[in-house]
Amino acid sequence: RFQARKTLEWIESVKSQYPNDPVFLFGDFNSAPGHQSHKILTSKLHDAWDMCEEIGAEKCTKNSFANSYHHWMGPFLN
């Protein structure tokens, strides 16, 4: 939640310098709709999955759960 708020603060500072430029925020946020960090980010930004669903895109797929798989082996391999 702290990082989500800080991210929005940073975006707002950049937008004050470049008010006509679009903002795209990409990442694996390990958060899903309903989670507090998602609510914070979408208070100012649009979730691409929600937008896809709203416009009725044919190939729009969405899970009802948060999922992340990165196959990181860390200390097991090193």
Side-chain angles (χ1 to χ4, degrees):
R1 294 177 297 219
F2 176 79
Q3 291 173 331
R5 283 190 213 91
K6 288 308 232 180
T7 299
L8 285 182
E9 286 175 17
W10 179 80
I11 289 172
E12 290 297 320
S13 72
V14 171
K15 286 298 284 178
S16 69
Q17 295 174 22
Y18 307 100
N20 297 321
D21 291 346
V23 173
F24 295 91
L25 177 63
F26 294 90
D28 179 3
F29 303 107
N30 294 323
S31 181
H35 290 174
Q36 197 61 31
S37 57
H38 184 269
K39 289 179 184 179
I40 292 167
L41 290 171
T42 56
S43 70
K44 300 280 184 177
L45 304 172
H46 298 284
D47 185 322
W49 292 114
D50 294 340
M51 298 302 293
C52 180
E53 197 171 74
E54 283 179 27
I55 63 172
E58 292 176 15
K59 295 184 179 181
C60 180
T61 58
K62 187 174 180 179
N63 292 325
S64 61
F65 57 91
N67 189 15
S68 180
Y69 179 74
H70 46 68
H71 199 68
W72 181 74
M73 294 297 194
F76 294 113
L77 296 178
N78 295 326

